[in-house]
C-alpha cells in the first residue's frame, strides 16, 4: 500500500477463525489510512509505528466487543504503539504537526487510536480524546 504499511499489516487479526478481508471500498479507505500513517510516521521523526489493529470485519469487530459504528469496520482507523513514546506523547506530536486526523484517542494509556474521515471528501473533525477506566473525555 505504502512504503511502510502493507495490506496484510492493516488487516492482521489474532481472530483467524474469522474472515478479515476488506471489500473494495474498505480497501480504498485502508489506502487512505496507510498514506495518512506515512504522514504520522514523518511527524514522529520516522519512529516505527506498530499496528495493533486497523480493519476489522463485522465478526472480528464483534469478537473484540467494539461498536458497529467503529471506524475500524470501514478501514478508516488504526490502533498503534510507538516504541520509546508514550501514547500521550504520540497524541501531542500529531496534534502539534497539524495533521488532518478525524479522531486521535489515547486509549488506556497503552496505545493510540487514529482515524481518517469515513469518506475521501469528508472534513476531518480533529477530535482528540482520552478513553480509560474513568470514561471518555477531551484530551487536554
Amino acid at each position: 500500500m505504502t512504503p511502510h504499511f502493507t495490506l496484510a499489516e492493516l488487516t492482521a487479526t489474532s481472530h483467524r477463525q474469522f474472515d478479515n478481508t476488506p471489500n473494495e471500498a474498505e480497501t480504498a479507505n485502508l489506502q487512505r489510512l496507510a498514506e495518512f500513517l506515512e504522514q504520522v510516521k514523518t511527524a514522529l521523526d520516522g519512529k516505527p509505528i506498530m499496528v495493533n489493529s486497523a480493519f476489522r470485519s463485522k465478526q472480528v469487530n464483534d469478537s473484540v466487543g467494539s461498536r458497529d459504528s467503529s471506524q475500524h469496520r470501514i478501514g478508516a482507523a488504526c490502533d498503534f504503539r510507538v516504541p520509546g513514546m508514550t501514547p500521550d506523547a504520540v497524541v501531542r506530536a500529531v496534534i502539534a504537526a497539524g495533521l488532518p486526523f478525524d479522531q486521535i484517542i489515547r486509549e488506556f494509556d497503552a496505545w493510540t487510536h487514529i482515524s481518517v474521515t469515513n469518506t475521501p471528501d469528508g472534513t476531518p473533525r480533529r477530535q482528540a480524546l482520552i478513553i480509560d477506566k474513568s470514561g471518555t473525555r477531551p484530551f487536554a
Side-chain angles (χ1 to χ4, degrees), residues 69-138:
S69 60
S70 168
Q71 288 179 293
H72 288 277
R73 282 283 298 112
I74 60 169
C78 178
D79 294 340
F80 65 96
R81 294 171 292 105
V82 178
M85 289 185 79
T86 65
D88 203 66
V90 170
V91 171
R92 291 187 192 288
V94 169
I95 291 170
L99 296 181
F101 59 87
D102 190 53
Q103 282 189 319
I104 191 163
I105 306 171
R106 186 190 83 197
E107 293 196 40
F108 301 97
D109 209 23
W111 67 86
T112 305
H113 166 101
I114 199 160
S115 65
V116 295
T117 58
N118 290 354
T119 60
D121 59 348
T123 301
R125 294 178 287 175
R126 290 189 48 86
Q127 185 178 46
L129 301 170
I130 296 171
I131 295 176
D132 58 21
K133 63 183 177 183
S134 299
T136 302
R137 60 193 178 280

Side-chain angles (χ1 to χ4, degrees), residues 2 5 13 15 33 41 46-47 50 53 58 63-64 81 86 94 102-103 112 128 131 138:
T2 65
F5 301 96
T13 178
H15 300 276
L33 180 64
K41 184 175 180 66
K47 289 181 175 62
M50 312 300 290
S53 176
K58 174 148 178 56
S63 73
V64 299
R81 294 171 292 105
T86 65
V94 169
D102 190 53
Q103 282 189 319
T112 305
I131 295 176

